[in-house]
Each structure stands twice: as structure tokens, then as C-alpha cells.
Amino acid sequence: MTTEALGFAAVLRQRPLVAILRGMEVSHAIAIAERVWDRGIGIVEVPVQDPASFDTFHALLTRGAERGEPVGAGTIVDVELLRKVVDAGASFTVAPGLDLEVLHGSVRAGVPHLPGVASATEVQTAVRAGCTVLKAFPASSLSPRWVREMRGPFPQVSCVATGGVDAGNAAEFLAAGAVALGVGSALRSPAAASELFDIVEEALVRGREH
């Protein structure tokens, strides 16, 4: 499965969990990624902010390639970092905010980009730049209501709710229209991760039934 072949929004509809493996040692990150891949519910993103995170990113790229799974790079805040992860083989890139230079650079490289947005102005700017898969960040501060209300003026946008998402609010964000959930800290506890995985899997099953 590749993000280019199916389209990023289509991939997220099939795998509505973006597992954010931030600050994890390689073995822990791979273990979580394997759980996500085995259940067929998500894709993985490794934020790259220091040398250790690049080691984890490269290890996940290798394991993902073996399984045919896309692996993205997160916290891409400038074009120099963008070039580095694209050259390494990132399947998609993610940023905390909307940087048009990074967005255009990723798209020119043929790599889908997921920019963070938190206002109607940022959503509109991203849409005008040709990007309609956007990260609502921080989602817990914006709320499911924000996601629902943005669908009115921007029905073409696919929203990935990210930041403070866990088993307690995941279903509400999906019901509000989020195409996917970006989840990081909630994955660190095996029990909390299992509860979240069940919620995402149930949402997938309901979607297939309708």
C-alpha cells in the first residue's frame, strides 16, 4: 500500500489511525507499529527532531518496506529537514503548522503533506494551495465541534484530529467527521492503546456496513 497510489485521503479512510511514535526507542516504536499494522487500522509517523529519532525513523522505514506499509516523518518545520526525510524515503510528511514552502516542497517531491491547522483562515490557505488533507491541531483544544463546523464551509477537506486524542474522545472526533486520528502519548500504555484500537476498529466496521 502506498500513499501515492491510492491518494492520501483514501489511505486514511482505510486506516484511520496515525500512530505518532515520538521519542521512542527503536524496539518500542517497532512493537507499537507492528500492533497497528497487524490490526490493519493505521499507518505510522515518526517525528524527527534529533539524531535518536532519525534512528527510529530509519528502522521503521526498513520494517515498513518489508511489510509494504507507509511510514511518514513528522515535525517537518523547514525545507532542509523535508529534503532529508524525502531522500530517506518518507511516504508522507507532517508538520505542526501550515508552512507553504514545506507544503509545496513535499508535493513537488511527490510526497503527501499533512499540515497542522487551527483556524478557518489556515484551512482556506491550505485549500488554496491545493492541500485538502489537514491536521486539526491541537485537536483536544479545538474540539470535535470545531471539526464538525469546519465541514460546512470546507466539505472537500479531510481532517485528521491530532493532539490530546485518546480512547475518551476518539469516537466523538470520528463522529464529528474526522477522517482519521493522530495519536501519540495514548499509545504508550498497552491497555490504553488496546482500548483505542478497538474504538477505531469498530468505526471501520460501521463504515463498511453503511
Side-chain angles (χ1 to χ4, degrees), residues 32-79:
I32 293 175
E34 295 279 8
R35 290 184 68 193
V36 172
W37 292 335
D38 286 345
R39 293 189 65 159
I41 58 172
I43 59 179
V44 302
E45 167 203 337
V46 181
V48 287
Q49 296 172 279
D50 53 43
S53 63
F54 267 95
D55 290 342
T56 302
F57 175 56
H58 285 291
L60 264 294
L61 282 174
T62 299
R63 188 65 184 122
E66 292 170 354
R67 296 192 50 153
E69 296 286 355
V71 174
T75 318
I76 307 304
V77 294
D78 57 56
V79 292

Side-chain angles (χ1 to χ4, degrees), residues 112-123:
H113 182 63
L114 181 62
V117 296
S119 69
T121 298
E122 290 177 337
V123 173

Side-chain angles (χ1 to χ4, degrees), residues 14-21 24 28-44 165-168 170-171 174 181-206 208:
Q14 295 176 15
R15 305 283 189 91
L17 174 68
V18 180
I20 304 169
L21 309 179
M24 296 181 186
H28 189 195
I30 289 178
I32 293 175
E34 295 279 8
R35 290 184 68 193
V36 172
W37 292 335
D38 286 345
R39 293 189 65 159
I41 58 172
I43 59 179
V44 302
V165 176
D166 56 25
L174 291 171
L181 308 171
V183 182
S185 58
L187 300 178
R188 292 181 177 274
S189 161
S194 292
E195 186 178 2
L196 179 66
F197 292 168
D198 288 343
I199 291 169
V200 173
E201 196 165 53
E202 288 167 9
L204 274 172
V205 170
R206 286 196 302 271
R208 294 181 186 126

